[in-house]
Amino acid sequence: MSKRRRPMTDEDGKDAALIWDFHQMRHQLRPCSVGICLGGPDPGIASFAAELFRRRLYPLLLFTGANSPDTRAWFPRGEALHNCERAIELGVPADAVLVEPAATNTGENITLSRQLLADAGIETANVMLISMAYMERRAFATCRKMWPDVDVICASEPLEFDAYAERIGDPPLALDMIVGDLQRVIEYPKKGFAIPQHVPDHVLNAYDRLVAAGYTTRLAAV
């Protein structure tokens, strides 16, 4: 499915910014029963989750995620465990965290976290999903499908695409990631993995241009 990319252009960057903005839900943050920190190739997720805990937006913080090819080098013992340890280093009390170490995709992040909270007898009228900015929309759609009776708010560290790409040190890879997540937003409802969401034409056009330019290494087989 992938092909050799041409050098990244200014137009690619503009298309990336359009998709990056679409991925973010822009939810107004308010206190929730629990924060669920989703895994991913960005150590900043745990830091932001800890910041929201200190702001008293939730009394309990659940970390979910096993390993993946993208995160194994950073988190050899699993995303959830490493993110949990980072949050504790930043002042989150150990008795205010839970760890779900088995999830290998966003659907499992939601279903296994839901089961862990139920097994612990923790009532969850609402949850806050903390993720990378470009995962917000897919996480929301997945949660609404897999856990329809809970109110969900999405949160991510306030970053623009250029800052995120600089952080991970590989702008083309960052672009691959946001293109791949948009494909999942479009395609996963057809598979029953998520609720459908409207994607504006200007975002679809940006997606088509970037796929044509070869930003395809994170596209899923559909």
Side-chain angles (χ1 to χ4, degrees):
M1 183 177 293
S2 64
K3 65 181 182 181
R4 186 179 301 276
R5 289 186 296 248
R6 56 167 167 69
M8 188 171 173
T9 68
D10 290 343
E11 292 305 312
D12 294 340
K14 292 176 182 177
D15 284 338
L18 289 175
I19 294 174
W20 181 265
D21 185 69
F22 173 72
H23 277 313
Q24 295 171 67
M25 300 299 295
R26 311 291 182 185
H27 285 163
Q28 183 70 39
L29 302 188
R30 56 181 174 80
C32 290
S33 304
V34 60
I36 300 178
C37 185
L38 307 178
D42 186 353
I45 302 172
S47 300
F48 189 62
E51 177 186 329
L52 298 182
F53 179 88
R54 291 192 298 269
R55 287 163 53 182
R56 300 183 182 276
L57 285 171
Y58 35 73
L60 179 69
L61 185 50
L62 189 159
F63 294 88
T64 173
N67 249 327
S68 75
D70 287 334
T71 62
R72 190 169 291 116
W74 285 345
F75 306 133
R77 291 176 293 121
E79 299 166 9
L81 182 57
H82 282 272
N83 282 330
C84 176
E85 290 173 346
R86 176 59 178 156
I88 290 173
E89 289 175 358
L90 293 171
V92 178
D95 61 0
V97 299
L98 293 172
V99 174
E100 184 294 296
T104 59
N105 56 58
T106 306
E108 290 181 355
N109 287 141
I110 300 301
T111 57
L112 295 179
S113 295
R114 179 183 185 181
Q115 188 61 54
L116 179 60
L117 292 166
D119 291 345
I122 297 169
E123 295 186 5
T124 49
N126 44 32
V127 300
M128 186 176 296
L129 302 181
I130 304 100
S131 70
M132 294 171 291
Y134 70 84
M135 283 185 62
E136 275 195 32
R137 186 168 294 276
R138 180 162 63 89
F140 173 80
T142 304
C143 190
R144 294 298 299 130
K145 182 69 177 184
M146 303 295 180
W147 200 352
D149 56 340
V150 75
D151 185 24
V152 56
I153 295 173
C154 294
S156 62
E157 184 180 9
L159 283 177
E160 297 302 326
F161 173 76
D162 289 346
Y164 177 74
E166 182 178 351
R167 171 184 288 178
I168 69 170
D170 190 339
L173 177 60
L175 224 167
D176 283 336
M177 290 175 172
I178 68 172
V179 168
D181 254 61
L182 182 52
Q183 181 213 27
R184 288 159 176 79
V185 168
I186 296 166
E187 298 292 339
Y188 276 10
K190 304 171 188 176
K191 295 177 173 290
F193 299 161
I195 64 166
Q197 299 180 88
H198 173 67
V199 183
D201 287 343
H202 70 279
V203 176
L204 288 172
N205 292 337
Y207 168 81
D208 288 340
R209 287 190 293 267
L210 292 172
V211 169
Y215 293 97
T216 58
T217 69
R218 291 301 185 271
L219 294 185
V222 295

